Amino acid sequence: MIRAPLWLIGLLLLAAIFVGVYAYFTTPLPYGLGELVQTPGGANAPAQATPTSTQTAAAANARAAAGQPLLLGAASVVVQGVERNQDLTANNRGGPAGSFTVIDVMLRNAGTEPLTPQAQDFRLVDDRGRIYAVDAEATRAMNTSAKRRDLFDASVPPGGEMPVYLAFETGANSATSLRVHLGYGEAELPRS
């Protein structure tokens, strides 16, 4: 019986460890283990989309820290500031009565088509999972008092940007995040 040299066994063992560490940091775990153990590679790996799926995996995982751009295809959204518990009837703003969360947002369009946002493209989600819709009247009043264009009456031209305020009527002060469904992307087709 022929026995492999000890250095060859050690080299194969090191290679196996190297491949295991590489796989851990670059890919999600197989056999459903990725749902139980989050790996650095698995956290950013896009979910496999079916051919009938209209939502891209990149959009499903899109998140950005405060002040950082949220890339959504050709569009990007940057939250520049948040004011909670605002009374829009004060200081001649002309808004409705209530307590509002006002978000200062910069929209950028890096695409080749105009971007026309709708009110349903923006939602505010609190830490309990409650979803708040944009208050169109309060948003219009806030943008008018700040001498900004109303987002829902205008479009963002290709290569342009637009600073806007979004107003949401919210309850008690809690941790919130802005959920945006906006933008488009282009997929190149294979050449024949």
Side-chain angles (χ1 to χ4, degrees):
M1 190 161 190
I2 299 176
R3 215 172 122 163
L6 194 55
W7 64 268
L8 183 60
I9 294 171
L11 183 65
L12 289 174
L13 184 62
L14 281 175
I17 292 171
F18 174 76
V19 169
V21 169
Y22 177 78
Y24 176 80
F25 283 103
T26 58
T27 59
L29 295 174
Y31 308 118
L33 294 173
E35 295 175 7
L36 300 174
V37 179
Q38 284 291 346
T39 63
N44 296 329
Q48 291 184 348
T50 61
T52 59
S53 175
T54 58
Q55 182 181 19
T56 63
N61 293 331
R63 288 190 69 79
Q68 298 300 314
L70 172 63
L71 301 175
L72 301 166
S76 66
V77 178
V78 179
V79 175
Q80 297 179 324
V82 177
E83 297 177 17
R84 291 179 172 81
N85 301 323
Q86 294 294 304
D87 179 11
L88 299 184
T89 59
N91 299 329
N92 294 326
R93 292 183 190 168
S99 177
F100 293 89
T101 297
V102 178
I103 303 174
D104 184 2
V105 174
M106 175 66 75
L107 294 175
R108 293 189 178 108
N109 182 2
T112 57
E113 297 181 22
L115 191 63
T116 52
Q118 303 296 317
Q120 61 268 19
D121 293 334
F122 302 93
R123 296 281 185 254
L124 196 65
V125 182
D126 70 6
D127 55 354
R128 293 189 205 168
R130 294 180 293 198
I131 298 174
Y132 301 94
V134 171
D135 187 306
E137 182 183 353
T139 297
R140 182 170 285 114
M142 189 67 195
N143 284 306
T144 301
S145 71
K147 297 187 179 7
R148 291 185 176 180
R149 292 171 53 192
D150 186 34
L151 176 65
F152 308 122
D153 293 338
S155 65
V156 183
E161 60 184 26
M162 178 187 290
V164 295
Y165 288 109
L166 298 173
F168 300 87
E169 187 170 11
T170 56
N173 194 6
S174 61
T176 55
S177 60
L178 181 64
R179 187 176 292 167
V180 183
H181 300 282
L182 185 67
Y184 64 92
E186 295 177 4
E188 290 188 24
L189 301 176
R191 296 179 191 239
S192 48

